[in-house]
Amino acid sequence: MKELTKLFTFLEKYSINFNEYMLAKMLAWAQTKQNAEVVSEYFSMRVCCRGFTIQLLQGLKDAKLINESYEIPKAGSVFDPCCVPLNRDFMQDILNY
């Protein structure tokens, strides 16, 4: 129960939903070369399970956790999780969570 309360507090702090949190966690892990198997499995999941990456990226951008200058890829284009510029403080926070 305590872990869920901590997660809810984290989501509230950054004004993101759970799917945005999961994407951000995967982006942070990909960029720091952590948990590569989990990251690979996450991105190979069906969209109905993890959400549409483009929409989730927009949510993170709206929450100002991704640099405003970042251009969200168009549907069908190549997506590189290592090229998404996460806010430095947020990235440290999500890696430590």
Side-chain angles (χ1 to χ4, degrees):
M1 269 320 235
K2 194 173 188 177
E3 282 298 311
L4 280 178
T5 302
K6 282 177 59 177
L7 176 60
F8 295 156
T9 302
F10 188 91
L11 298 175
E12 289 259 327
K13 176 181 178 180
Y14 289 106
S15 299
I16 57 175
N17 65 43
F18 183 75
N19 286 342
E20 291 164 344
Y21 164 81
M22 287 302 297
L23 174 61
K25 187 78 160 179
M26 296 305 117
L27 295 174
W29 280 350
Q31 292 174 22
T32 57
K33 305 204 184 323
Q34 297 179 37
N35 304 305
E37 299 144 12
V38 176
V39 172
S40 178
E41 190 172 328
Y42 171 82
F43 283 108
S44 63
M45 287 174 56
R46 294 177 313 185
V47 172
C48 65
C49 297
R50 65 177 163 82
F52 290 94
T53 302
I54 292 171
Q55 292 172 344
L56 298 174
L57 286 169
Q58 187 61 55
L60 292 172
K61 195 171 180 180
D62 292 344
K64 309 231 182 296
L65 302 175
I66 293 176
N67 189 311
E68 274 190 46
S69 65
Y70 175 70
E71 282 196 44
I72 295 173
K74 303 287 184 222
S77 64
V78 177
F79 172 67
D80 182 357
C82 293
C83 292
V84 180
L86 290 172
N87 172 290
R88 183 180 305 218
D89 293 332
F90 172 68
M91 187 164 172
Q92 283 300 90
D93 210 6
I94 203 164
L95 286 171
N96 292 331
Y97 177 75

XYZ file of all heavy atoms in Angstrom:
792
model
N 0.816 -1.204 0.000
C 0.000 0.000 0.000
C 0.855 1.262 0.000
O 0.535 2.216 -0.690
C -0.885 0.016 1.244
C -2.255 -0.602 1.108
S -3.100 -0.271 -0.389
C -4.573 0.389 0.232
N 1.929 1.236 0.781
C 2.787 2.411 0.892
C 3.429 2.758 -0.453
O 3.562 3.931 -0.798
C 3.853 2.145 1.944
C 4.593 3.361 2.393
C 5.509 3.015 3.542
C 6.105 4.273 4.108
N 6.947 4.014 5.260
N 3.817 1.744 -1.224
C 4.416 1.977 -2.542
C 3.434 2.668 -3.485
O 3.822 3.544 -4.248
C 4.901 0.663 -3.158
C 6.210 0.182 -2.597
C 7.358 1.145 -2.845
O 7.537 1.584 -4.000
O 8.076 1.447 -1.887
N 2.171 2.246 -3.439
C 1.157 2.881 -4.290
C 0.967 4.340 -3.904
O 0.845 5.202 -4.772
C -0.167 2.135 -4.210
C -0.276 0.878 -5.050
C -1.626 0.211 -4.837
C -0.069 1.179 -6.518
N 0.952 4.609 -2.624
C 0.807 5.988 -2.158
C 1.977 6.837 -2.652
O 1.787 7.971 -3.102
C 0.707 6.037 -0.623
O -0.394 5.234 -0.217
C 0.523 7.447 -0.110
N 3.195 6.277 -2.597
C 4.369 6.994 -3.111
C 4.239 7.242 -4.614
O 4.569 8.320 -5.101
C 5.638 6.195 -2.822
C 6.128 6.309 -1.399
C 7.347 5.436 -1.146
C 8.499 5.794 -2.038
N 9.721 5.004 -1.757
N 3.754 6.235 -5.343
C 3.569 6.394 -6.784
C 2.534 7.474 -7.073
O 2.752 8.335 -7.929
C 3.150 5.075 -7.425
C 2.844 5.133 -8.916
C 4.052 5.606 -9.718
C 2.364 3.788 -9.420
N 1.426 7.459 -6.363
C 0.391 8.469 -6.563
C 0.949 9.868 -6.298
O 0.650 10.813 -7.029
C -0.825 8.210 -5.671
C -1.558 6.937 -5.982
C -2.325 6.330 -5.007
C -1.484 6.333 -7.232
C -3.020 5.155 -5.279
C -2.159 5.157 -7.508
C -2.931 4.566 -6.532
N 1.756 10.001 -5.269
C 2.380 11.291 -4.940
C 3.300 11.742 -6.070
O 3.312 12.913 -6.454
C 3.161 11.191 -3.617
O 2.248 10.787 -2.585
C 3.816 12.504 -3.248
N 4.073 10.794 -6.628
C 4.972 11.095 -7.746
C 4.172 11.568 -8.954
O 4.521 12.575 -9.583
C 5.789 9.847 -8.095
C 6.869 10.097 -9.101
C 8.142 10.453 -8.690
C 6.624 9.977 -10.462
C 9.153 10.687 -9.612
C 7.621 10.203 -11.391
C 8.890 10.565 -10.964
N 3.098 10.857 -9.286
C 2.256 11.233 -10.433
C 1.661 12.620 -10.240
O 1.630 13.429 -11.169
C 1.153 10.196 -10.648
C 1.609 8.769 -10.986
C 0.407 7.835 -11.059
C 2.403 8.726 -12.267
N 1.198 12.889 -9.037
C 0.619 14.207 -8.730
C 1.672 15.310 -8.818
O 1.411 16.385 -9.350
C 0.012 14.201 -7.326
C -1.240 13.385 -7.212
C -2.477 14.250 -7.241
O -2.431 15.388 -6.755
O -3.496 13.763 -7.744
N 2.858 15.020 -8.301
C 3.937 16.019 -8.300
C 4.235 16.507 -9.709
O 4.440 17.701 -9.931
C 5.199 15.403 -7.683
C 6.405 16.307 -7.714
C 7.622 15.617 -7.115
C 8.848 16.512 -7.183
N 10.037 15.846 -6.610
N 4.249 15.572 -10.665
C 4.604 15.933 -12.033
C 3.404 16.078 -12.966
O 3.573 16.343 -14.151
C 5.601 14.914 -12.600
C 6.954 15.047 -11.954
C 7.401 14.120 -11.021
C 7.776 16.123 -12.248
C 8.643 14.249 -10.422
C 9.021 16.269 -11.654
C 9.443 15.329 -10.741
O 10.678 15.469 -10.147
N 2.220 15.903 -12.449
C 0.984 16.040 -13.240
C 0.985 15.134 -14.467
O 0.727 15.577 -15.591
C 0.762 17.493 -13.673
O 0.641 18.314 -12.547
N 1.308 13.857 -14.236
C 1.307 12.868 -15.319
C 0.454 11.680 -14.909
O 0.171 11.480 -13.728
C 2.737 12.390 -15.676
C 3.462 11.796 -14.464
C 3.535 13.534 -16.288
C 4.830 11.200 -14.770
N 0.049 10.903 -15.905
C -0.709 9.694 -15.601
C 0.239 8.495 -15.585
O 1.432 8.616 -15.888
C -1.888 9.508 -16.581
C -1.440 9.262 -18.003
O -0.507 8.506 -18.279
N -2.125 9.904 -18.952
N -0.291 7.335 -15.242
C 0.544 6.153 -15.086
C 1.238 5.765 -16.394
O 2.415 5.398 -16.386
C -0.276 4.975 -14.548
C 0.566 3.757 -14.316
C 1.423 3.688 -13.227
C 0.525 2.686 -15.195
C 2.224 2.571 -13.016
C 1.316 1.561 -14.987
C 2.162 1.507 -13.898
N 0.536 5.818 -17.519
C 1.148 5.448 -18.795
C 2.276 6.418 -19.173
O 3.291 5.997 -19.727
C 0.109 5.367 -19.910
C -0.760 4.140 -19.797
O -0.412 3.175 -19.111
N -1.892 4.152 -20.459
N 2.099 7.695 -18.872
C 3.169 8.670 -19.118
C 4.368 8.372 -18.214
O 5.519 8.461 -18.645
C 2.657 10.092 -18.902
C 1.652 10.520 -19.949
C 0.844 11.744 -19.562
O 0.808 12.134 -18.374
O 0.222 12.327 -20.476
N 4.072 8.013 -16.972
C 5.132 7.638 -16.034
C 5.923 6.446 -16.572
O 7.160 6.453 -16.567
C 4.526 7.302 -14.665
C 5.466 6.551 -13.769
C 6.448 7.225 -13.035
C 5.396 5.166 -13.658
C 7.334 6.525 -12.226
C 6.272 4.469 -12.847
C 7.236 5.156 -12.132
O 8.112 4.461 -11.337
N 5.224 5.415 -17.035
C 5.902 4.214 -17.534
C 6.771 4.551 -18.745
O 7.905 4.080 -18.842
C 4.898 3.119 -17.882
C 4.270 2.455 -16.667
S 5.472 1.718 -15.539
C 6.209 0.473 -16.575
N 6.261 5.348 -19.669
C 7.065 5.738 -20.825
C 8.297 6.509 -20.368
O 9.409 6.238 -20.817
C 6.256 6.583 -21.823
C 7.067 7.141 -22.996
C 7.688 6.017 -23.836
C 6.203 8.035 -23.861
N 8.113 7.463 -19.465
C 9.239 8.259 -18.980
C 10.284 7.369 -18.301
O 11.488 7.557 -18.489
C 8.748 9.337 -18.012
N 9.829 6.395 -17.541
C 10.748 5.463 -16.874
C 11.549 4.684 -17.923
O 12.762 4.526 -17.799
C 9.952 4.515 -15.982
C 10.784 3.609 -15.121
C 11.302 4.356 -13.929
C 11.711 3.410 -12.833
N 12.224 4.135 -11.684
N 10.870 4.223 -18.969
C 11.551 3.478 -20.029
C 12.541 4.371 -20.779
O 13.635 3.935 -21.133
C 10.548 2.875 -21.016
C 9.618 1.831 -20.418
S 10.448 0.472 -19.592
C 9.845 0.707 -17.922
N 12.165 5.629 -21.018
C 13.070 6.570 -21.681
C 14.318 6.800 -20.825
O 15.444 6.781 -21.339
C 12.369 7.912 -21.936
C 11.200 7.910 -22.903
C 10.529 9.285 -22.927
C 11.622 7.484 -24.291
N 14.113 7.007 -19.534
C 15.243 7.236 -18.630
C 16.151 6.008 -18.582
O 17.381 6.132 -18.633
C 14.734 7.592 -17.236
N 15.565 4.824 -18.494
C 16.373 3.604 -18.478
C 17.116 3.425 -19.799
O 18.283 3.059 -19.806
C 15.510 2.392 -18.189
C 15.179 2.209 -16.743
C 15.704 2.871 -15.677
C 14.231 1.284 -16.211
N 15.130 2.415 -14.510
C 14.238 1.447 -14.805
C 13.376 0.347 -16.781
C 13.432 0.678 -13.963
C 12.575 -0.410 -15.934
C 12.595 -0.244 -14.546
N 16.451 3.684 -20.924
C 17.104 3.537 -22.226
C 18.292 4.495 -22.344
O 19.367 4.112 -22.824
C 16.109 3.792 -23.354
N 18.095 5.715 -21.885
C 19.144 6.725 -22.014
C 20.328 6.483 -21.084
O 21.435 6.902 -21.372
C 18.552 8.120 -21.788
C 17.615 8.512 -22.908
C 16.898 9.815 -22.677
O 17.323 10.658 -21.904
N 15.784 10.001 -23.366
N 20.086 5.785 -19.978
C 21.169 5.484 -19.035
C 21.623 4.029 -19.164
O 22.399 3.554 -18.344
C 20.735 5.771 -17.586
O 19.555 5.013 -17.283
C 20.485 7.254 -17.374
N 21.101 3.365 -20.183
C 21.470 1.973 -20.480
C 21.235 1.040 -19.289
O 22.073 0.204 -18.951
C 22.910 1.903 -20.975
C 23.138 2.807 -22.172
C 24.276 2.392 -23.003
C 24.592 3.312 -24.147
N 23.567 3.945 -24.854
N 20.072 1.199 -18.670
C 19.661 0.343 -17.558
C 18.492 -0.522 -17.999
O 17.660 -0.087 -18.782
C 19.217 1.180 -16.359
C 20.284 2.041 -15.751
C 19.743 2.840 -14.583
O 18.921 2.359 -13.807
N 20.206 4.069 -14.451
N 18.420 -1.727 -17.466
C 17.272 -2.614 -17.668
C 16.868 -2.743 -19.134
O 15.688 -2.643 -19.479
C 16.087 -2.143 -16.818
C 16.447 -2.053 -15.356
O 16.903 -3.024 -14.775
N 16.279 -0.886 -14.766
N 17.838 -2.988 -19.993
C 17.609 -3.044 -21.435
C 16.530 -4.058 -21.817
O 15.740 -3.807 -22.728
C 18.915 -3.360 -22.163
N 16.470 -5.177 -21.116
C 15.462 -6.198 -21.441
C 14.055 -5.687 -21.179
O 13.138 -5.921 -21.965
C 15.695 -7.468 -20.617
C 17.028 -8.116 -20.864
C 17.613 -8.726 -19.596
O 16.911 -8.847 -18.571
O 18.792 -9.083 -19.643
N 13.892 -4.983 -20.076
C 12.579 -4.440 -19.722
C 12.174 -3.368 -20.731
O 11.029 -3.330 -21.187
C 12.573 -3.869 -18.289
C 11.247 -3.211 -17.962
C 12.903 -4.948 -17.275
N 13.111 -2.505 -21.093
C 12.839 -1.447 -22.070
C 12.419 -2.062 -23.396
O 11.424 -1.649 -24.007
C 14.064 -0.516 -22.250
C 13.850 0.459 -23.393
C 14.365 0.219 -20.955
N 13.146 -3.062 -23.833
C 12.821 -3.735 -25.094
C 11.442 -4.384 -25.033
O 10.646 -4.268 -25.969
C 13.888 -4.786 -25.398
O 13.571 -5.475 -26.561
N 11.158 -5.030 -23.919
C 9.851 -5.675 -23.762
C 8.726 -4.642 -23.755
O 7.680 -4.837 -24.359
C 9.819 -6.486 -22.465
C 8.606 -7.360 -22.334
C 8.693 -8.290 -21.136
O 9.803 -8.712 -20.777
O 7.626 -8.583 -20.567
N 8.954 -3.517 -23.076
C 7.951 -2.449 -23.024
C 7.613 -1.962 -24.432
O 6.446 -1.860 -24.807
C 8.460 -1.281 -22.167
C 7.569 -0.058 -22.232
C 6.430 0.031 -21.443
C 7.850 0.997 -23.090
C 5.598 1.146 -21.501
C 7.031 2.108 -23.161
C 5.910 2.173 -22.366
O 5.090 3.272 -22.439
N 8.634 -1.648 -25.234
C 8.386 -1.104 -26.565
C 7.870 -2.151 -27.552
O 7.361 -1.792 -28.604
C 9.628 -0.395 -27.111
C 9.832 0.964 -26.499
C 10.856 1.191 -25.597
C 8.970 2.012 -26.790
C 11.031 2.436 -25.014
C 9.128 3.262 -26.216
C 10.168 3.473 -25.326
N 7.969 -3.422 -27.204
C 7.412 -4.454 -28.083
C 5.994 -4.857 -27.672
O 5.351 -5.646 -28.360
C 8.324 -5.680 -28.141
O 8.423 -6.281 -26.874
N 5.495 -4.295 -26.566
C 4.117 -4.569 -26.138
C 3.128 -3.959 -27.132
O 3.441 -2.983 -27.817
C 3.847 -3.941 -24.756
C 4.505 -4.636 -23.618
S 4.305 -3.744 -22.044
C 2.551 -3.589 -21.906
N 1.949 -4.537 -27.166
C 0.901 -3.959 -28.004
C 0.515 -2.582 -27.480
O 0.522 -2.333 -26.283
C -0.334 -4.862 -28.010
C -0.095 -6.202 -28.658
C -1.315 -7.055 -28.569
N -1.820 -6.995 -27.183
C -2.820 -7.707 -26.735
N -3.447 -8.525 -27.513
N -3.218 -7.610 -25.490
N 0.161 -1.707 -28.395
C -0.198 -0.331 -28.053
C -1.376 -0.287 -27.077
O -1.409 0.546 -26.174
C -0.505 0.484 -29.329
C -1.067 1.847 -28.995
C 0.754 0.632 -30.156
N -2.311 -1.198 -27.225
C -3.479 -1.182 -26.343
C -3.089 -1.446 -24.884
O -3.832 -1.096 -23.975
C -4.537 -2.183 -26.808
S -4.022 -3.905 -26.724
N -1.914 -2.009 -24.670
C -1.450 -2.296 -23.308
C -0.657 -1.138 -22.704
O -0.735 -0.892 -21.512
C -0.578 -3.543 -23.297
S -1.451 -5.025 -23.804
N 0.114 -0.439 -23.518
C 0.998 0.602 -22.980
C 0.580 2.012 -23.365
O 1.050 2.974 -22.782
C 2.444 0.353 -23.393
C 2.688 0.445 -24.876
C 4.176 0.260 -25.182
N 4.394 -0.040 -26.576
C 4.448 0.861 -27.540
N 4.307 2.124 -27.252
N 4.642 0.498 -28.786
N -0.270 2.152 -24.354
C -0.694 3.473 -24.810
C 0.083 3.904 -26.047
O 1.126 3.337 -26.372
N -0.440 4.890 -26.728
C 0.186 5.408 -27.939
C 1.363 6.307 -27.561
O 1.186 7.309 -26.870
C -0.820 6.191 -28.789
C -1.852 5.315 -29.435
C -3.074 5.097 -28.815
C -1.593 4.696 -30.651
C -4.026 4.284 -29.401
C -2.539 3.874 -31.249
C -3.761 3.666 -30.616
N 2.536 5.958 -28.031
C 3.750 6.692 -27.673
C 3.639 8.171 -28.022
O 4.029 9.032 -27.230
C 4.977 6.065 -28.367
O 5.055 4.683 -27.977
C 6.257 6.769 -27.980
N 3.085 8.485 -29.170
C 2.967 9.882 -29.595
C 2.120 10.674 -28.598
O 2.490 11.777 -28.185
C 2.393 9.977 -31.025
C 3.413 9.411 -32.019
C 2.008 11.405 -31.381
C 2.891 9.246 -33.434
N 1.007 10.115 -28.183
C 0.142 10.803 -27.215
C 0.820 10.926 -25.853
O 0.706 11.958 -25.185
C -1.189 10.074 -27.079
C -2.050 10.151 -28.305
C -3.283 9.262 -28.205
O -3.374 8.381 -27.373
N -4.236 9.505 -29.107
N 1.521 9.880 -25.460
C 2.206 9.918 -24.163
C 3.349 10.931 -24.179
O 3.554 11.657 -23.196
C 2.724 8.528 -23.798
C 1.649 7.447 -23.634
C 2.288 6.086 -23.420
C 0.694 7.794 -22.510
N 4.072 11.001 -25.281
C 5.119 12.011 -25.410
C 4.529 13.415 -25.329
O 5.108 14.304 -24.695
C 5.873 11.840 -26.737
C 6.837 10.669 -26.828
C 7.299 10.476 -28.265
C 8.019 10.850 -25.895
N 3.373 13.608 -25.956
C 2.715 14.918 -25.898
C 2.332 15.260 -24.464
O 2.487 16.397 -24.027
C 1.491 14.960 -26.809
C 0.868 16.343 -26.923
C 1.825 17.364 -27.514
O 2.356 17.178 -28.596
N 2.072 18.446 -26.788
N 1.845 14.275 -23.722
C 1.508 14.494 -22.312
C 2.731 14.893 -21.499
O 2.660 15.801 -20.663
N 3.855 14.238 -21.733
C 5.096 14.583 -21.026
C 5.587 15.967 -21.434
O 6.102 16.727 -20.605
C 6.169 13.528 -21.299
C 5.907 12.146 -20.709
C 6.938 11.147 -21.212
C 5.885 12.189 -19.190
N 5.406 16.298 -22.689
C 5.798 17.623 -23.178
C 4.897 18.695 -22.568
O 5.376 19.748 -22.143
C 5.726 17.651 -24.706
C 6.432 18.806 -25.336
C 6.501 18.629 -26.852
C 7.215 19.769 -27.518
N 7.284 19.595 -28.971
N 3.599 18.424 -22.504
C 2.652 19.368 -21.904
C 2.963 19.602 -20.421
O 2.755 20.700 -19.903
C 1.215 18.887 -22.059
C 0.735 18.907 -23.501
O 1.381 19.554 -24.352
O -0.304 18.246 -23.782
N 3.456 18.555 -19.760
C 3.822 18.659 -18.345
C 5.204 19.300 -18.173
O 5.702 19.409 -17.056
C 3.798 17.278 -17.693
N 5.818 19.685 -19.295
C 7.133 20.339 -19.308
C 8.248 19.426 -18.789
O 9.215 19.886 -18.185
C 7.095 21.644 -18.525
C 5.966 22.563 -18.942
C 6.451 23.939 -19.246
C 5.356 24.893 -19.608
N 4.616 24.637 -20.772
N 8.102 18.131 -19.063
C 9.114 17.159 -18.659
C 9.997 16.764 -19.833
O 10.996 16.078 -19.658
C 8.444 15.938 -18.034
C 7.567 16.284 -16.817
C 6.831 15.062 -16.324
C 8.404 16.900 -15.712
N 9.587 17.194 -21.025
C 10.373 17.044 -22.250
C 10.571 18.452 -22.798
O 9.639 19.263 -22.793
C 9.638 16.174 -23.295
C 9.514 14.736 -22.810
C 10.348 16.225 -24.634
C 8.718 13.841 -23.760
N 11.755 18.721 -23.283
C 12.093 20.022 -23.844
C 11.076 20.424 -24.908
O 10.707 19.618 -25.758
C 13.502 19.953 -24.441
C 14.026 21.290 -24.857
O 13.354 22.046 -25.547
N 15.248 21.581 -24.453
N 10.635 21.678 -24.862
C 9.635 22.177 -25.822
C 10.093 22.099 -27.266
O 9.285 21.986 -28.179
C 9.267 23.630 -25.489
C 8.169 23.748 -24.475
C 7.674 25.163 -24.341
O 7.446 25.825 -25.389
O 7.509 25.602 -23.205
N 11.389 22.161 -27.489
C 11.906 22.140 -28.861
C 11.889 20.735 -29.468
O 12.071 20.589 -30.668
C 13.331 22.700 -28.906
O 14.203 21.863 -28.177
N 11.646 19.721 -28.656
C 11.625 18.343 -29.161
C 10.442 18.146 -30.098
O 9.307 18.477 -29.753
C 11.542 17.346 -28.000
C 11.399 15.910 -28.441
C 12.448 15.239 -29.044
C 10.203 15.229 -28.258
C 12.320 13.922 -29.447
C 10.069 13.902 -28.650
C 11.130 13.262 -29.246
O 11.002 11.958 -29.647
N 10.723 17.645 -31.280
C 9.662 17.350 -32.239
C 9.221 15.903 -32.073
O 10.015 14.986 -32.295
C 10.141 17.597 -33.669
C 10.147 19.052 -34.027
C 10.234 19.261 -35.526
O 9.527 18.556 -36.281
O 11.025 20.122 -35.918
N 7.985 15.733 -31.697
C 7.428 14.393 -31.520
C 7.341 13.734 -32.889
O 6.841 14.345 -33.839
C 6.051 14.465 -30.832
C 6.233 15.021 -29.410
C 5.373 13.109 -30.817
C 4.956 15.312 -28.680
N 7.837 12.504 -32.997
C 7.810 11.833 -34.306
C 6.382 11.621 -34.808
O 5.452 11.474 -34.016
C 8.490 10.493 -34.053
C 8.874 10.450 -32.632
C 8.412 11.676 -31.966
N 6.239 11.621 -36.094
C 4.942 11.354 -36.726
C 4.679 9.851 -36.712
O 5.612 9.046 -36.647
C 4.942 11.846 -38.176
C 5.276 13.309 -38.337
C 4.140 14.175 -37.876
C 4.463 15.639 -38.133
N 4.108 16.515 -37.075
N 3.418 9.476 -36.782
C 3.038 8.070 -36.815
C 3.747 7.369 -37.975
O 3.815 7.898 -39.076
C 1.530 7.936 -36.957
N 4.307 6.204 -37.690
C 4.981 5.416 -38.707
C 6.454 5.728 -38.874
O 7.160 5.006 -39.560
N 6.926 6.805 -38.235
C 8.342 7.131 -38.359
C 9.143 6.398 -37.277
O 8.596 5.835 -36.342
C 8.559 8.644 -38.271
O 8.174 9.117 -37.011
N 10.436 6.444 -37.414
C 11.321 5.769 -36.467
C 11.390 6.576 -35.171
O 11.547 7.790 -35.195
C 12.734 5.610 -37.071
C 13.688 4.989 -36.071
C 12.676 4.779 -38.339
N 11.281 5.874 -34.058
C 11.337 6.515 -32.742
C 12.576 6.017 -32.004
O 12.788 4.819 -31.871
C 10.078 6.199 -31.936
C 10.151 6.656 -30.510
C 10.179 8.003 -30.201
C 10.203 5.743 -29.472
C 10.263 8.433 -28.883
C 10.278 6.153 -28.155
C 10.309 7.504 -27.861
N 13.403 6.952 -31.554
C 14.594 6.605 -30.787
C 14.425 7.123 -29.365
O 14.484 8.333 -29.131
C 15.836 7.222 -31.434
C 17.121 6.852 -30.707
O 17.066 6.160 -29.662
O 18.190 7.252 -31.189
N 14.207 6.231 -28.397
C 13.989 6.668 -27.017
C 15.185 7.404 -26.411
O 15.023 8.160 -25.460
C 13.700 5.373 -26.261
C 14.100 4.263 -27.144
C 14.144 4.787 -28.535
N 16.362 7.207 -26.973
C 17.560 7.874 -26.446
C 17.659 9.327 -26.883
O 18.505 10.069 -26.378
C 18.805 7.102 -26.860
S 18.899 5.488 -26.070
N 16.815 9.753 -27.793
C 16.869 11.127 -28.311
C 15.827 12.052 -27.696
O 15.714 13.207 -28.106
C 16.711 11.112 -29.835
S 18.114 10.377 -30.663
N 15.069 11.564 -26.740
C 14.025 12.388 -26.109
C 14.664 13.152 -24.946
O 15.115 12.536 -23.974
C 12.853 11.524 -25.609
C 11.789 12.393 -24.961
C 12.268 10.707 -26.748
N 14.717 14.476 -25.031
C 15.383 15.274 -23.993
C 14.510 15.463 -22.749
O 13.716 16.395 -22.644
C 15.645 16.602 -24.701
C 14.538 16.712 -25.707
C 14.226 15.308 -26.134
N 14.672 14.554 -21.792
C 13.928 14.654 -20.535
C 14.516 15.757 -19.657
O 15.733 15.966 -19.650
C 13.993 13.336 -19.770
C 13.240 12.158 -20.354
C 13.581 10.885 -19.581
C 11.741 12.398 -20.326
N 13.663 16.426 -18.921
C 14.087 17.402 -17.925
C 15.057 16.708 -16.963
O 14.773 15.628 -16.458
C 12.849 17.928 -17.191
C 13.176 18.798 -16.023
O 13.674 18.323 -15.005
N 12.858 20.070 -16.151
N 16.193 17.309 -16.729
C 17.259 16.687 -15.927
C 16.804 16.329 -14.507
O 17.069 15.229 -14.025
C 18.460 17.609 -15.858
C 19.641 17.011 -15.117
C 20.786 17.947 -15.080
N 21.101 18.320 -16.451
C 22.310 18.498 -16.925
N 23.326 18.361 -16.137
N 22.509 18.829 -18.181
N 16.120 17.256 -13.824
C 15.669 16.986 -12.454
C 14.649 15.855 -12.435
O 14.689 14.985 -11.562
C 15.077 18.244 -11.821
C 16.124 19.316 -11.597
O 17.319 18.984 -11.420
O 15.751 20.515 -11.596
N 13.741 15.884 -13.402
C 12.731 14.831 -13.502
C 13.398 13.481 -13.763
O 13.050 12.477 -13.150
C 11.727 15.159 -14.612
C 10.771 14.049 -14.909
C 9.808 13.676 -13.987
C 10.825 13.362 -16.114
C 8.918 12.646 -14.258
C 9.946 12.335 -16.403
C 8.988 11.977 -15.464
N 14.384 13.467 -14.649
C 15.064 12.209 -14.971
C 15.743 11.637 -13.731
O 15.634 10.442 -13.466
C 16.084 12.413 -16.092
C 16.693 11.131 -16.577
S 17.498 11.421 -18.152
C 18.324 9.887 -18.406
N 16.402 12.468 -12.967
C 17.042 11.998 -11.734
C 15.992 11.475 -10.755
O 16.185 10.432 -10.138
C 17.841 13.119 -11.079
C 19.152 13.394 -11.739
C 20.050 12.173 -11.709
O 20.024 11.339 -12.618
N 20.841 12.037 -10.679
N 14.895 12.195 -10.651
C 13.826 11.798 -9.729
C 13.225 10.452 -10.136
O 13.018 9.589 -9.293
C 12.749 12.889 -9.699
C 12.034 12.980 -8.357
O 12.444 12.274 -7.410
O 11.067 13.747 -8.271
N 12.963 10.262 -11.421
C 12.329 9.025 -11.863
C 13.303 7.846 -11.774
O 12.899 6.723 -11.496
C 11.712 9.163 -13.268
C 10.611 8.118 -13.472
C 12.739 9.079 -14.372
C 9.691 8.377 -14.631
N 14.579 8.095 -11.975
C 15.567 7.026 -11.830
C 15.740 6.625 -10.361
O 15.977 5.460 -10.055
C 16.915 7.447 -12.423
C 16.983 7.482 -13.940
C 18.291 8.124 -14.387
C 16.822 6.103 -14.536
N 15.605 7.585 -9.484
C 15.739 7.309 -8.042
C 14.484 6.724 -7.425
O 14.521 6.176 -6.339
C 16.149 8.561 -7.282
C 17.537 8.991 -7.617
O 18.394 8.185 -7.962
N 17.792 10.295 -7.553
N 13.350 6.885 -8.125
C 12.084 6.409 -7.561
C 12.042 4.907 -7.562
O 12.350 4.239 -8.483
C 10.888 6.970 -8.356
C 9.592 6.436 -7.841
C 9.070 6.912 -6.656
C 8.934 5.411 -8.502
C 7.888 6.399 -6.159
C 7.752 4.887 -8.003
C 7.237 5.383 -6.839
O 6.088 4.864 -6.336
